Amino acid sequence: MQSKSLAEVQRRVARVHREADLGRQLHGYNGWAPEYEQVPPRRDVAVLQYRAPELAAACLASMFQGPLEDVLVLDVACGTGLVAQELQTRGFRHFHGLDGSQGMLEHARHKGLYQDLKQCVLGQGVLPAPTGGYLCLTTRSNQSNLPYKAQLEQLLADLEQQGLWEKVTVQEVEQWERSTAEQGTGQGSCYISGVVYLYQKKPGPG
């Protein structure tokens, strides 16, 4: 199958990201799921040079010195399962995935990497994760995503303040993915930056 141009993928990304209504945005992700990483090559994510999965996996792996087979990772906004794929190559074996898009979850399920997958929107209800598990999530730092990034960080701060989660590390990354015109870097760069968040579930309710 012929790979897409950067301009085509940028338009698709912009349509999904600028949708303010959650239901319509999730519908957009459902429609995007079949083309998100179709191989060969990994279509849209390859065109965008989307590095979040490998960066998140590298960040998580760097936190451990011993065997990784028993480490449980809660992959928030897991999409089609790219982070779990990267983590598996590094020795991780236990994954629970959450995503708001049923279409994305179906593609993740077909990979057979997750022991548990749930449709869940971050910020709506309790994050289901066993005590001791590690929550891994990522987001963009470009101008148009700053309101969501602020909401996400406030949610994580609230979880930490309530004693439900403990921050392990937050890693800023400069070249996260190629930008779209609507994303805008504000720095004259063709790439946008991003962040990897890693937290651990503490004992207790939630």
Side-chain angles (χ1 to χ4, degrees):
M1 182 178 292
Q2 184 177 5
S3 59
K4 293 183 179 179
S5 68
L6 175 60
E8 288 178 296
V9 178
Q10 286 174 327
R11 286 194 293 271
R12 164 56 81 59
V13 173
R15 283 198 303 271
V16 174
H17 287 171
R18 70 171 171 242
E19 181 57 68
D21 179 78
L22 177 60
R24 291 183 179 180
Q25 187 178 66
L26 293 177
H27 179 75
Y29 275 109
N30 288 338
W32 191 6
E35 300 180 354
Y36 190 72
E37 56 156 326
Q38 202 168 43
V39 294
R42 284 180 174 175
R43 295 182 65 194
D44 291 1
V45 292
V47 173
L48 284 174
Q49 298 178 21
Y50 180 59
R51 302 176 61 218
E54 62 183 276
L55 294 168
C59 176
L60 186 53
S62 70
M63 296 294 107
F64 300 94
Q65 300 298 322
L68 303 174
E69 293 87 350
D70 295 328
V71 176
L72 173 61
V73 179
L74 178 63
D75 186 3
V76 180
C78 65
T80 60
L82 292 176
V83 170
Q85 280 183 261
E86 292 287 343
L87 287 170
Q88 186 187 47
T89 66
R90 296 172 182 269
F92 292 86
R93 294 293 180 268
H94 294 283
F95 311 107
H96 289 188
L98 305 175
D99 202 277
S101 164
Q102 189 60 44
M104 291 285 187
L105 286 172
E106 285 303 316
H107 282 267
R109 184 172 288 109
H110 289 157
K111 292 179 178 176
L113 299 176
Y114 293 90
Q115 288 76 51
D116 188 47
L117 282 167
K118 288 186 172 68
Q119 187 173 14
C120 176
V121 176
L122 191 62
Q124 296 185 4
V126 175
L127 290 176
T131 297
Y134 288 84
L135 175 150
C136 182
L137 60 127
T138 65
T139 196
R140 296 166 288 115
S141 298
N142 57 295
Q143 191 68 31
S144 63
N145 196 53
L146 290 182
Y148 170 79
K149 181 173 179 285
Q151 293 175 1
L152 173 62
E153 291 180 346
Q154 184 59 58
L155 172 64
L156 292 173
D158 290 344
L159 288 169
E160 190 171 19
Q161 187 175 19
Q162 294 166 24
L164 302 177
W165 293 88
E166 181 178 11
K167 181 165 62 178
V168 178
T169 188
V170 175
Q171 185 178 95
E172 302 274 350
V173 180
E174 288 189 8
Q175 293 193 350
W176 190 257
E177 67 181 54
R178 296 176 75 170
S179 68
T180 68
E182 286 81 359
Q183 286 174 333
T185 63
Q187 300 172 339
S189 171
C190 63
Y191 289 88
I192 61 173
S193 57
V195 190
V196 179
Y197 303 91
L198 181 60
Y199 282 70
Q200 186 175 23
K201 174 70 180 297
K202 297 179 70 174

